[in-house]
């Protein structure tokens, strides 16, 4: 029973106070129901609009981050020479070098001879060997022109892992060339960047975080290749006087930008890898 009239009831003009026995009762119920549905629809539409705006903002934020990440990947190599390469080699007459018998390995790397014409020099007196220091483990070794490379045991293991990740299926010469690339970068940067920093720099070499000792034992040639490179052997020096600092395999490159910056550059192929120094930028 309806004690009150519906809003805007036309029977109110004729003195009707309730909806009982009103012939328009069904019509009024339908009208009221439609108004309620319209109000609810407005609320649902407003909620959907707000949800769409929030989702759109989240998608745009994620897309911007992915775009920035892609731009960083397309920047290419980040290694730059700290000084000119000629400044890396120190003459023994100016500064004698020393070999320290600790857990670190010291490798002497002699650069390729320059193309300058040789000048006649007068015979000079022999340079006396510096006196031994109080520490018996340090001895003085005079060198003509050399750059010292200090490699720790940890860094040697990292080099073996890089060879495993990048060239375990390559010929032995190709594995030595990959190890030599790391050493050439160290020399090119005048020792300002350590071997470990070169290997762990982003976007430079394959990921080696999951490589275990058991995996390395299955490919003993990887460690032998590193040993050869530390002895100064570098197959890329047949093409480049001071060796190559970069390498790539075209079939494995997915980013077109990385192929574009290597178009027309001077390189040498060893196994399935191409070794080079310059980029097309």
């Amino acid at each position: 029973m309806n004690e009150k009239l519906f809003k805007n009831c036309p029977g109110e003009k004729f003195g009707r106070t309730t909806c009982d026995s009103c012939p328009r009762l069904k019509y009024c119920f339908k009208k009221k129901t439609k108004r309620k549905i319209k109000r609810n629809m407005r609320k649902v539409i407003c909620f959907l609009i707000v949800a769409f705006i929030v989702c759109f903002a989240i998608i745009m934020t994620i897309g911007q981050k992915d775009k920035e990440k892609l731009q960083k990947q397309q920047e290419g190599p980040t290694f730059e020479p700290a000084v000119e390469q000629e400044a890396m080699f120190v003459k023994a007459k100016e500064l004698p070098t020393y070999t320290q018998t600790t857990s670190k390995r010291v490798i002497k790397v002699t650069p390729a001879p320059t193309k300058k014409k040789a000048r006649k020099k007068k015979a000079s007196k022999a340079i006396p060997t510096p006196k031994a220091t109080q520490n018996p483990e340090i001895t003085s070794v005079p060198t003509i022109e050399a750059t010292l490379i200090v490699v720790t045991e940890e860094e040697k293991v990292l080099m073996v892992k890089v060879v495993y990740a990048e060239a375990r299926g390559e010929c032995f010469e190709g594995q030595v060339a990959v190890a030599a690339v790391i050493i050439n970068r160290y020399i090119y940067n005048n020792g300002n960047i350590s071997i470990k920093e070169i290997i762990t720099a982003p976007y430079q070499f394959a990921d080696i975080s999951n490589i275990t000792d058991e995996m390395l034992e299955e490919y003993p040639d990887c460690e032998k290749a590193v040993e050869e490179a530390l002895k100064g052997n570098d197959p890329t020096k047949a093409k480049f006087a001071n060796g190559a600092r970069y390498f790539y395999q075209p079939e494995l490159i997915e980013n077109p930008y990385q192929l574009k910056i290597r178009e027309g550059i001077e390189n040498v192929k060893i196994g399935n890898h191409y070794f080079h120094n310059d980029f097309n930028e």
Side-chain angles (χ1 to χ4, degrees):
M1 304 294 289
N2 294 302
E3 297 180 357
K4 295 182 180 181
L5 294 173
F6 285 107
K7 188 176 181 181
N8 299 326
C9 180
E12 189 177 3
K13 297 179 181 180
F14 303 102
R16 183 179 291 278
T17 58
T18 66
C19 293
D20 295 337
S21 68
C22 178
R24 295 175 54 88
L25 183 60
K26 291 183 179 180
Y27 172 78
C28 292
F29 267 118
K30 289 181 180 179
K31 193 173 181 180
K32 184 178 181 180
T33 303
K34 288 181 180 179
R35 284 199 299 266
K36 189 179 290 185
I37 292 173
K38 286 182 179 179
R39 285 197 300 269
N40 292 336
M41 286 296 294
R42 291 193 196 100
K43 293 179 181 178
V44 172
I45 292 172
C46 291
F47 174 79
L48 292 176
I49 291 173
V50 172
F52 174 78
I53 293 173
V54 172
C55 292
F56 181 77
I58 294 173
I59 293 172
M60 290 297 293
T61 303
I62 296 174
Q64 184 66 24
K65 290 182 179 179
D66 291 342
K67 185 178 180 181
E68 292 175 358
K69 185 177 180 180
L70 182 61
Q71 288 177 351
K72 289 181 180 179
Q73 292 178 352
Q74 292 180 349
E75 287 178 358
T78 57
F79 290 97
E80 296 294 338
V83 292
E84 293 184 359
Q85 191 168 357
E86 288 79 3
M88 295 189 300
F89 304 104
V90 182
K91 291 184 178 180
K93 293 182 179 180
E94 299 173 355
L95 181 63
T97 59
Y98 297 90
T99 301
Q100 185 173 357
T101 58
T102 62
S103 60
K104 296 183 177 181
R105 299 187 57 178
V106 180
I107 316 299
K108 293 184 293 182
V109 180
T110 304
T114 59
K115 296 182 180 179
K116 295 181 179 179
K117 294 182 179 179
R119 297 179 180 178
K120 294 182 179 180
K121 295 184 179 180
K122 296 181 179 179
S124 56
K125 296 181 180 179
I127 302 174
T129 303
K131 295 181 179 179
T133 58
Q134 294 180 354
N135 189 347
E137 293 184 352
I138 300 178
T139 56
S140 173
V141 180
T143 59
I144 299 175
E145 288 186 357
T147 296
L148 291 179
I149 301 177
V150 179
V151 182
T152 64
E153 288 301 320
E154 178 190 6
E155 289 173 334
K156 180 187 172 184
V157 173
L158 292 176
M159 290 179 67
V160 176
K161 288 184 177 182
V162 170
V163 175
Y164 175 90
E166 297 282 7
R168 62 180 179 274
E170 295 292 320
C171 61
F172 185 71
E173 184 183 13
Q175 293 176 348
V176 176
V178 169
V181 164
I182 302 172
I183 297 174
N184 294 337
R185 290 190 185 185
Y186 180 88
I187 298 173
Y188 189 70
N189 286 277
N190 198 24
N192 293 325
I193 302 177
S194 67
I195 297 292
K196 183 177 181 179
E197 290 173 330
I198 291 172
I199 293 174
T200 57
Y203 312 119
Q204 298 303 316
F205 298 100
D207 182 26
I208 60 174
S209 57
N210 296 325
I211 298 176
T212 62
D213 293 339
E214 291 76 12
M215 297 167 67
L216 296 179
E217 289 176 359
E218 296 179 4
Y219 292 87
D221 284 347
C222 294
E223 184 175 1
K224 294 178 182 178
V226 172
E227 291 284 354
E228 287 297 317
L230 291 175
K231 292 177 183 178
N233 295 328
D234 184 357
T236 66
K237 286 186 177 179
K239 178 72 174 179
F240 305 103
N242 295 310
R245 301 188 306 278
Y246 304 101
F247 65 91
Y248 71 102
Q249 188 171 344
E251 296 79 10
L252 300 181
I253 293 181
E254 299 178 356
N255 190 343
Y257 173 78
Q258 295 295 333
L259 290 174
K260 183 178 180 181
I261 61 177
R262 291 177 169 89
E263 289 180 356
I265 62 173
E266 189 177 9
N267 57 55
V268 57
K269 184 179 181 182
I270 302 176
N272 293 317
H273 287 117
Y274 290 82
F275 295 83
H276 63 98
N277 285 322
D278 302 318
F279 287 92
N280 251 338
E281 295 186 88

